[in-house]
Amino acid sequence: MASIFDGMTGIIADILGDPVIYAPAGGAAREIQSIFREAPIEIDGADGQIVRIDAPTWRVRRDLAPEVRRGDHMTVPDGRSFKVMVVHPTGSPASDACLICELQTVGS
């Protein structure tokens, strides 16, 4: 079922995001317009409780990186690299719903 909010994630990433290089463990690296943040954020956990994430995070549209998994790497525009530690789905049924990935610094 379509919603008036379908497509909003892509618009937000296009406006607020930056191109990052995503390198899945089993595939070729590619550039994805998405949102990288180092400030703490709060998300809804799987059990409905609010979860605070103090690690850097990467918000990416699920349809742009459906295979994202623990151990994958991403590089931000300033050259720093990060490893995906945890992937949190947002629970949205929209086709452009986001995944929120907790990251760990691996180099620069």
Side-chain angles (χ1 to χ4, degrees):
M1 173 167 132
S3 166
I4 61 169
F5 298 108
D6 286 354
M8 291 304 293
T9 299
I11 292 169
I12 291 169
D14 289 345
I15 294 169
L16 301 176
D18 288 308
V20 302
I21 304 299
Y22 168 55
R30 63 188 185 270
E31 189 174 277
I32 297 176
Q33 184 78 7
S34 53
I35 300 172
F36 169 76
R37 294 288 178 258
E38 294 183 270
I41 65 169
E42 291 182 348
I43 64 169
D44 292 330
D47 60 358
Q49 297 295 318
I50 298 212
V51 175
R52 179 182 166 101
I53 301 174
D54 291 318
T57 55
W58 179 41
R59 182 180 300 261
V60 61
R61 281 180 25 201
R62 182 176 51 213
D63 62 330
L64 296 178
E67 76 278 26
V68 69
R69 300 282 183 270
R70 179 182 175 93
D72 290 351
H73 287 83
M74 56 90 68
T75 304
V76 296
D78 68 7
R80 293 180 295 152
S81 295
F82 297 86
K83 179 168 60 169
V84 175
M85 301 305 292
V86 179
V87 179
H88 300 276
T90 59
S92 170
S95 60
D96 70 336
C98 281
L99 299 171
I100 299 171
C101 303
E102 289 184 50
L103 305 172
Q104 177 182 31
T105 305
V106 294
S108 57

